[in-house]
């Protein structure tokens, strides 16, 4: 993995912002045109599947709509295989984060509750904003303020709250000598789960009423 070198030194919000940009630049994600193209394709898929609708995310939280979990399991199953073998051949880089259980548990609960209330996730939110949905824009602004508070009080509050790191690791590390096979089995099982999940959809009553007029 290429070492990331920060050219901007110091402390403060602006410094961290510049360091974030430098981090992305040095990771070598490809040209701006390629990143833009991937974004367009992603937005098109979200639009086509309509997973940016409130009913899809909220319905998932209430177990009344399974389109989102089917897509998530399918994406995880296929991408886990693709990304692992791409990384093995130098076409991608694995940026493995440390395991901090308290932070993951607390953050996961907050993330799930917030996603169910807003009816969006960080991936579908920008698509909804592009559609002109003001409620999602308000939620995004709230998220920015939340990120600001996290940055300002990270050292004093949030870092201790996260707990101790248990180190980094990925699933293939548990199967020394059979890493590739473990990835293939994991990807196949998760993909199979996506196929076996029954298809349920929670209808948008307002949209249905408009279509009848």
């Amino acid at each position: 993995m290429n070492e990331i070198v920060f050219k901007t030194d110091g402390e403060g919000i602006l410094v961290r912002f510049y360091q974030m940009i430098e981090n992305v630049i040095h990771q070598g994600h490809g040209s701006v045109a390629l990143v833009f193209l991937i974004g367009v394709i992603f937005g098109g898929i979200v639009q086509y599947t309509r997973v940016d609708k409130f009913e899809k995310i909220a319905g998932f939280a209430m177990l009344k709509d399974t389109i989102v979990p089917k897509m998530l399991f399918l994406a995880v199953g296929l991408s886990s295989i693709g990304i692992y073998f791409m990384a093995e051949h130098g076409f991608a880089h694995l940026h493995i984060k440390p395991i901090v259980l308290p932070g993951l548990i607390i953050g996961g609960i907050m993330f799930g509750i917030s996603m169910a209330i807003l009816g969006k996730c960080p991936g579908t939110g920008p698509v909804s904003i592009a559609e002109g949905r003001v409620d999602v824009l308000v939620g995004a602004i709230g998220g920015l303020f939340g990120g600001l508070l996290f940055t300002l009080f990270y050292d004093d509050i949030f870092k201790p709250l996260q707990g101790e790191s248990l180190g980094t690791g990925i699933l293939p590390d548990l199967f020394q000598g059979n890493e590739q096979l473990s990835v293939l089995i994991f990807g196949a099982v998760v993909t199979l789960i996506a196929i076996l999940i029954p298809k349920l959809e929670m209808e948008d009553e307002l949209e249905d009423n408009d279509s009848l007029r």
Side-chain angles (χ1 to χ4, degrees), residues 131-149:
E131 292 178 342
R133 299 182 184 236
V134 179
D135 58 328
V136 186
L137 177 60
V138 173
I141 295 174
L144 292 175
F145 277 103
L148 176 62
L149 292 176

Side-chain angles (χ1 to χ4, degrees), residues 1 3 14 19 44 49-50 55 63 65 69 72 75 81 89 102 123 128 131 138 159 163 211:
M1 185 182 299
E3 182 180 357
L14 289 178
Q19 289 178 344
T49 57
R50 302 306 295 154
E55 288 72 23
L63 302 180
D65 195 299
L72 288 177
I81 297 175
H89 292 84
S128 296
E131 292 178 342
V138 173
K159 187 175 182 179
S211 63

Side-chain angles (χ1 to χ4, degrees), residues 24-25 28-40:
V24 174
I25 292 174
H29 291 293
S31 66
V32 175
L34 177 60
V35 174
F36 178 79
L37 177 61
I38 293 174
V40 171

Side-chain angles (χ1 to χ4, degrees), residues 25 71 98 151:
I25 292 174
M71 288 189 62
T151 302

Side-chain angles (χ1 to χ4, degrees), residues 108-127:
I109 293 174
M110 293 178 62
F111 180 84
I113 294 174
S114 302
M115 194 169 75
I117 293 174
L118 184 62
K120 307 294 174 184
C121 73
T124 61
V127 178

